[in-house]
Amino acid sequence: MKDVEGLLSVMREAEAASYDQPLSPSADAQVRSAWASRPWPREAGWLAVLGAVTVAMLLLLQPGRTPRLRPVHSLSREDAGPLTLDLNFADASAAAAAAHAQEQRAGGPVLLP
Amino acid sequence: MSTGEPEVTLEQIYRRHRVEVYRIALRYGGGRRAWAEDVVQDVFVRLAVALAGLDDRDALMGWLYRVTTRRCLHRLEHERVRAVAPLRWIAERWWGSPPQPDAIVAAKAELQQAFALLETLAPKARVAFLMHRMDGRTFEEIGEILGHSKGYICKLVSRAERKLEEGLR
């Protein structure tokens, strides 16, 4: 073995001769028993996580917990409930009068609160 | 690969290809039979999981070659870490002495010398060099399998050759 080619030819010879041996029966048995207790594929872990997240989302978004939205055109007058406009005209006119007086004093328009 | 019962197919593949996988593992493991048998077990257990995704025989051969090489490299790199002096001391205390080379292979002095020389190379350089020179794989193919660029593999192989030549002088 004088150079790299010599080293490679030694390796090739070894592979052709000594290496061509069967695996020991115990190694064979180990492979087969490993198949019997085959590990879960990696994808199974991700699927489990995805499933858990989906279940959690479904539990959080139960129909009873969140208001159900309906399209506007399907709403009726009854859906809106009673109209309870509580207008206090006395307060409104007093505020307008005060603003007008302030405007007069300042010489310019004053925004109503 | 999905024709027939999966268990039967797996058994057939194992019978047909175990020697090939074992041969590759023996080469990278420096002729250690137990080491190579562990790799064979590891590869075929992985095949049992991956089998459904392989669609033809060519894909299977490529898969076996790729996975065997990667598993060997992984083990070699792991061994190198364990061989660092303080870690080796801890490892030997915990797991006992590392296994000695098999007597069958060790009997061949030249082969022993070849393995000793190859062991002077870093695991990745050793694997890339043997893939290129023993299996005739291109730099591009090796790069794809080991996850490196073609240029890096080319440098790795030529450095390995130079180091081996120096060792043989």
Short mmCIF file of all heavy atoms in Angstrom, two decimals, chain B residues 48-85:
data_model
loop_
_atom_site.label_atom_id
_atom_site.label_comp_id
_atom_site.label_asym_id
_atom_site.label_seq_id
_atom_site.Cartn_x
_atom_site.Cartn_y
_atom_site.Cartn_z
N ALA B 48 -38.99 1.38 7.98
CA ALA B 48 -40.35 0.95 8.32
C ALA B 48 -41.29 2.15 8.43
O ALA B 48 -42.47 2.06 8.07
CB ALA B 48 -40.33 0.18 9.64
N VAL B 49 -40.75 3.28 8.89
CA VAL B 49 -41.56 4.49 9.03
C VAL B 49 -41.72 5.21 7.68
O VAL B 49 -42.80 5.69 7.34
CB VAL B 49 -40.92 5.44 10.08
CG1 VAL B 49 -41.69 6.74 10.18
CG2 VAL B 49 -40.85 4.75 11.44
N ALA B 50 -40.62 5.21 6.91
CA ALA B 50 -40.60 6.01 5.67
C ALA B 50 -41.12 5.27 4.45
O ALA B 50 -41.30 5.87 3.39
CB ALA B 50 -39.18 6.48 5.40
N LEU B 51 -41.36 3.97 4.59
CA LEU B 51 -41.67 3.12 3.42
C LEU B 51 -42.86 3.62 2.60
O LEU B 51 -42.82 3.61 1.36
CB LEU B 51 -41.93 1.69 3.90
CG LEU B 51 -41.97 0.62 2.81
CD1 LEU B 51 -40.66 0.57 2.06
CD2 LEU B 51 -42.28 -0.74 3.42
N ALA B 52 -43.89 4.08 3.25
CA ALA B 52 -45.08 4.52 2.53
C ALA B 52 -44.79 5.68 1.57
O ALA B 52 -45.43 5.81 0.54
CB ALA B 52 -46.16 4.92 3.52
N GLY B 53 -43.80 6.49 1.90
CA GLY B 53 -43.48 7.65 1.07
C GLY B 53 -42.57 7.34 -0.11
O GLY B 53 -42.32 8.21 -0.94
N LEU B 54 -42.06 6.12 -0.17
CA LEU B 54 -41.15 5.76 -1.27
C LEU B 54 -41.95 5.07 -2.38
O LEU B 54 -42.64 4.09 -2.13
CB LEU B 54 -40.05 4.81 -0.77
CG LEU B 54 -39.17 5.37 0.33
CD1 LEU B 54 -38.32 4.27 0.94
CD2 LEU B 54 -38.27 6.46 -0.22
N ASP B 55 -41.84 5.60 -3.60
CA ASP B 55 -42.74 5.07 -4.64
C ASP B 55 -42.13 4.05 -5.59
O ASP B 55 -42.85 3.32 -6.24
CB ASP B 55 -43.38 6.22 -5.42
CG ASP B 55 -42.39 7.31 -5.75
OD1 ASP B 55 -41.19 7.05 -5.61
OD2 ASP B 55 -42.83 8.40 -6.15
N ASP B 56 -40.82 3.96 -5.72
CA ASP B 56 -40.28 2.91 -6.60
C ASP B 56 -38.94 2.39 -6.08
O ASP B 56 -38.40 2.87 -5.09
CB ASP B 56 -40.16 3.40 -8.05
CG ASP B 56 -39.30 4.64 -8.16
OD1 ASP B 56 -38.35 4.76 -7.37
OD2 ASP B 56 -39.58 5.48 -9.03
N ARG B 57 -38.40 1.41 -6.78
CA ARG B 57 -37.20 0.72 -6.33
C ARG B 57 -35.98 1.66 -6.36
O ARG B 57 -35.13 1.61 -5.49
CB ARG B 57 -36.95 -0.50 -7.22
CG ARG B 57 -35.95 -1.47 -6.63
CD ARG B 57 -35.87 -2.74 -7.43
NE ARG B 57 -34.85 -3.61 -6.86
CZ ARG B 57 -33.57 -3.50 -7.15
NH1 ARG B 57 -33.15 -2.61 -8.00
NH2 ARG B 57 -32.69 -4.32 -6.59
N ASP B 58 -35.91 2.51 -7.41
CA ASP B 58 -34.78 3.44 -7.51
C ASP B 58 -34.78 4.40 -6.33
O ASP B 58 -33.73 4.69 -5.75
CB ASP B 58 -34.87 4.24 -8.82
CG ASP B 58 -34.60 3.35 -10.02
OD1 ASP B 58 -33.98 2.29 -9.82
OD2 ASP B 58 -35.04 3.70 -11.13
N ALA B 59 -35.96 4.87 -5.97
CA ALA B 59 -36.08 5.78 -4.82
C ALA B 59 -35.63 5.05 -3.56
O ALA B 59 -34.98 5.64 -2.70
CB ALA B 59 -37.50 6.26 -4.68
N LEU B 60 -35.97 3.77 -3.46
CA LEU B 60 -35.60 2.99 -2.29
C LEU B 60 -34.09 2.84 -2.17
O LEU B 60 -33.52 3.04 -1.10
CB LEU B 60 -36.26 1.61 -2.35
CG LEU B 60 -35.82 0.63 -1.27
CD1 LEU B 60 -36.37 1.04 0.07
CD2 LEU B 60 -36.25 -0.78 -1.61
N MET B 61 -33.44 2.52 -3.28
CA MET B 61 -31.98 2.36 -3.26
C MET B 61 -31.30 3.66 -2.85
O MET B 61 -30.38 3.66 -2.05
CB MET B 61 -31.47 1.91 -4.65
CG MET B 61 -31.70 0.45 -4.96
SD MET B 61 -31.01 -0.62 -3.70
CE MET B 61 -29.26 -0.26 -3.86
N GLY B 62 -31.77 4.75 -3.45
CA GLY B 62 -31.22 6.06 -3.11
C GLY B 62 -31.45 6.39 -1.65
O GLY B 62 -30.56 6.90 -0.97
N TRP B 63 -32.63 6.07 -1.18
CA TRP B 63 -32.98 6.34 0.22
C TRP B 63 -32.06 5.56 1.15
O TRP B 63 -31.51 6.11 2.11
CB TRP B 63 -34.44 5.95 0.46
CG TRP B 63 -34.98 6.37 1.80
CD1 TRP B 63 -35.63 7.52 2.09
CD2 TRP B 63 -34.86 5.65 3.03
NE1 TRP B 63 -35.93 7.56 3.43
CE2 TRP B 63 -35.48 6.43 4.03
CE3 TRP B 63 -34.31 4.42 3.39
CZ2 TRP B 63 -35.56 6.02 5.35
CZ3 TRP B 63 -34.37 4.01 4.72
CH2 TRP B 63 -35.00 4.80 5.68
N LEU B 64 -31.87 4.27 0.86
CA LEU B 64 -31.03 3.44 1.73
C LEU B 64 -29.59 3.95 1.76
O LEU B 64 -28.98 4.03 2.82
CB LEU B 64 -31.06 1.98 1.25
CG LEU B 64 -32.32 1.19 1.58
CD1 LEU B 64 -32.29 -0.17 0.90
CD2 LEU B 64 -32.47 0.99 3.09
N TYR B 65 -29.06 4.30 0.59
CA TYR B 65 -27.69 4.80 0.51
C TYR B 65 -27.55 6.10 1.30
O TYR B 65 -26.62 6.27 2.10
CB TYR B 65 -27.29 5.02 -0.95
CG TYR B 65 -25.86 5.45 -1.13
CD1 TYR B 65 -24.83 4.51 -1.16
CD2 TYR B 65 -25.52 6.79 -1.24
CE1 TYR B 65 -23.51 4.90 -1.29
CE2 TYR B 65 -24.20 7.19 -1.37
CZ TYR B 65 -23.20 6.25 -1.41
OH TYR B 65 -21.90 6.65 -1.53
N ARG B 66 -28.51 6.99 1.08
CA ARG B 66 -28.47 8.31 1.71
C ARG B 66 -28.58 8.19 3.25
O ARG B 66 -27.76 8.75 3.98
CB ARG B 66 -29.63 9.14 1.16
CG ARG B 66 -29.49 10.61 1.32
CD ARG B 66 -30.49 11.36 0.46
NE ARG B 66 -31.86 10.93 0.62
CZ ARG B 66 -32.59 10.39 -0.33
NH1 ARG B 66 -32.08 10.20 -1.53
NH2 ARG B 66 -33.84 10.04 -0.12
N VAL B 67 -29.56 7.42 3.67
CA VAL B 67 -29.79 7.31 5.12
C VAL B 67 -28.65 6.56 5.80
O VAL B 67 -28.20 6.95 6.89
CB VAL B 67 -31.17 6.66 5.41
CG1 VAL B 67 -31.36 6.38 6.89
CG2 VAL B 67 -32.28 7.57 4.92
N THR B 68 -28.14 5.51 5.17
CA THR B 68 -27.02 4.76 5.77
C THR B 68 -25.80 5.68 5.93
O THR B 68 -25.18 5.71 7.00
CB THR B 68 -26.65 3.55 4.89
OG1 THR B 68 -27.82 2.78 4.66
CG2 THR B 68 -25.61 2.68 5.55
N THR B 69 -25.50 6.43 4.87
CA THR B 69 -24.34 7.31 4.93
C THR B 69 -24.52 8.36 6.03
O THR B 69 -23.60 8.62 6.82
CB THR B 69 -24.15 8.01 3.57
OG1 THR B 69 -24.19 7.02 2.55
CG2 THR B 69 -22.83 8.75 3.50
N ARG B 70 -25.70 8.95 6.08
CA ARG B 70 -25.94 9.99 7.09
C ARG B 70 -25.87 9.43 8.50
O ARG B 70 -25.35 10.07 9.41
CB ARG B 70 -27.32 10.63 6.87
CG ARG B 70 -27.32 11.61 5.73
CD ARG B 70 -28.66 12.28 5.65
NE ARG B 70 -28.80 13.07 4.45
CZ ARG B 70 -29.96 13.37 3.90
NH1 ARG B 70 -31.08 12.94 4.44
NH2 ARG B 70 -30.03 14.11 2.82
N ARG B 71 -26.44 8.23 8.70
CA ARG B 71 -26.40 7.62 10.04
C ARG B 71 -24.97 7.33 10.45
O ARG B 71 -24.59 7.52 11.60
CB ARG B 71 -27.23 6.31 10.09
CG ARG B 71 -28.73 6.46 9.95
CD ARG B 71 -29.31 7.60 10.73
NE ARG B 71 -29.11 7.49 12.17
CZ ARG B 71 -29.19 8.50 13.02
NH1 ARG B 71 -29.44 9.72 12.60
NH2 ARG B 71 -29.02 8.31 14.30
N CYS B 72 -24.17 6.85 9.48
CA CYS B 72 -22.76 6.55 9.79
C CYS B 72 -22.03 7.84 10.16
O CYS B 72 -21.30 7.87 11.15
CB CYS B 72 -22.08 5.90 8.58
SG CYS B 72 -22.62 4.22 8.29
N LEU B 73 -22.25 8.88 9.38
CA LEU B 73 -21.58 10.16 9.65
C LEU B 73 -21.99 10.69 11.03
O LEU B 73 -21.15 11.15 11.80
CB LEU B 73 -21.91 11.17 8.55
CG LEU B 73 -21.30 12.56 8.72
CD1 LEU B 73 -19.78 12.49 8.75
CD2 LEU B 73 -21.75 13.48 7.59
N HIS B 74 -23.28 10.58 11.31
CA HIS B 74 -23.78 11.05 12.61
C HIS B 74 -23.08 10.31 13.75
O HIS B 74 -22.63 10.91 14.73
CB HIS B 74 -25.29 10.82 12.65
CG HIS B 74 -25.92 11.21 13.95
ND1 HIS B 74 -26.24 12.51 14.25
CD2 HIS B 74 -26.25 10.47 15.04
CE1 HIS B 74 -26.75 12.55 15.46
NE2 HIS B 74 -26.78 11.33 15.96
N ARG B 75 -22.97 8.99 13.60
CA ARG B 75 -22.32 8.19 14.64
C ARG B 75 -20.84 8.53 14.77
O ARG B 75 -20.31 8.64 15.88
CB ARG B 75 -22.45 6.69 14.32
CG ARG B 75 -23.78 6.12 14.73
CD ARG B 75 -23.92 4.68 14.32
NE ARG B 75 -25.05 4.11 15.02
CZ ARG B 75 -24.95 3.38 16.13
NH1 ARG B 75 -23.78 3.08 16.63
NH2 ARG B 75 -26.03 2.91 16.72
N LEU B 76 -20.19 8.71 13.63
CA LEU B 76 -18.77 9.03 13.67
C LEU B 76 -18.53 10.38 14.34
O LEU B 76 -17.60 10.53 15.13
CB LEU B 76 -18.19 9.06 12.24
CG LEU B 76 -18.07 7.70 11.54
CD1 LEU B 76 -17.68 7.89 10.08
CD2 LEU B 76 -17.04 6.82 12.23
N GLU B 77 -19.37 11.34 14.03
CA GLU B 77 -19.21 12.67 14.64
C GLU B 77 -19.49 12.61 16.13
O GLU B 77 -18.83 13.27 16.92
CB GLU B 77 -20.11 13.68 13.93
CG GLU B 77 -19.52 14.04 12.57
CD GLU B 77 -20.35 15.04 11.80
OE1 GLU B 77 -21.56 15.15 12.06
OE2 GLU B 77 -19.78 15.70 10.91
N HIS B 78 -20.48 11.81 16.51
CA HIS B 78 -20.83 11.64 17.91
C HIS B 78 -19.65 10.99 18.65
O HIS B 78 -19.30 11.40 19.76
CB HIS B 78 -22.07 10.77 18.02
CG HIS B 78 -22.58 10.62 19.42
ND1 HIS B 78 -23.20 11.65 20.08
CD2 HIS B 78 -22.53 9.57 20.27
CE1 HIS B 78 -23.51 11.23 21.30
NE2 HIS B 78 -23.13 9.97 21.43
N GLU B 79 -19.05 10.01 18.02
CA GLU B 79 -17.89 9.33 18.61
C GLU B 79 -16.73 10.29 18.80
O GLU B 79 -16.01 10.23 19.77
CB GLU B 79 -17.41 8.19 17.71
CG GLU B 79 -18.19 6.93 17.89
CD GLU B 79 -17.73 5.85 16.94
OE1 GLU B 79 -16.84 6.08 16.10
OE2 GLU B 79 -18.29 4.75 17.04
N ARG B 80 -16.57 11.19 17.81
CA ARG B 80 -15.47 12.14 17.88
C ARG B 80 -15.65 13.07 19.07
O ARG B 80 -14.69 13.41 19.75
CB ARG B 80 -15.38 12.94 16.58
CG ARG B 80 -14.06 13.68 16.46
CD ARG B 80 -13.80 14.17 15.09
NE ARG B 80 -14.69 15.24 14.72
CZ ARG B 80 -14.34 16.25 13.93
NH1 ARG B 80 -13.12 16.29 13.44
NH2 ARG B 80 -15.19 17.18 13.60
N VAL B 81 -16.88 13.47 19.31
CA VAL B 81 -17.15 14.32 20.48
C VAL B 81 -16.83 13.56 21.76
O VAL B 81 -16.19 14.07 22.68
CB VAL B 81 -18.62 14.80 20.47
CG1 VAL B 81 -18.98 15.50 21.76
CG2 VAL B 81 -18.88 15.72 19.29
N ARG B 82 -17.24 12.29 21.79
CA ARG B 82 -16.98 11.47 22.98
C ARG B 82 -15.50 11.18 23.17
O ARG B 82 -15.06 10.86 24.25
CB ARG B 82 -17.76 10.16 22.88
CG ARG B 82 -19.20 10.32 23.29
CD ARG B 82 -19.92 9.00 23.26
NE ARG B 82 -19.31 8.02 24.14
CZ ARG B 82 -19.70 6.76 24.21
NH1 ARG B 82 -20.69 6.34 23.47
NH2 ARG B 82 -19.12 5.92 25.03
N ALA B 83 -14.74 11.29 22.04
CA ALA B 83 -13.31 10.98 22.13
C ALA B 83 -12.50 12.14 22.70
O ALA B 83 -11.33 11.98 23.01
CB ALA B 83 -12.78 10.62 20.74
N VAL B 84 -13.13 13.32 22.84
CA VAL B 84 -12.42 14.45 23.47
C VAL B 84 -12.09 14.05 24.91
O VAL B 84 -12.95 13.53 25.62
CB VAL B 84 -13.33 15.71 23.45
CG1 VAL B 84 -12.67 16.87 24.18
CG2 VAL B 84 -13.64 16.11 22.01
N ALA B 85 -10.83 14.28 25.32
CA ALA B 85 -10.31 13.69 26.57
C ALA B 85 -11.25 13.74 27.78
O ALA B 85 -11.56 12.68 28.33
CB ALA B 85 -8.96 14.30 26.89
#
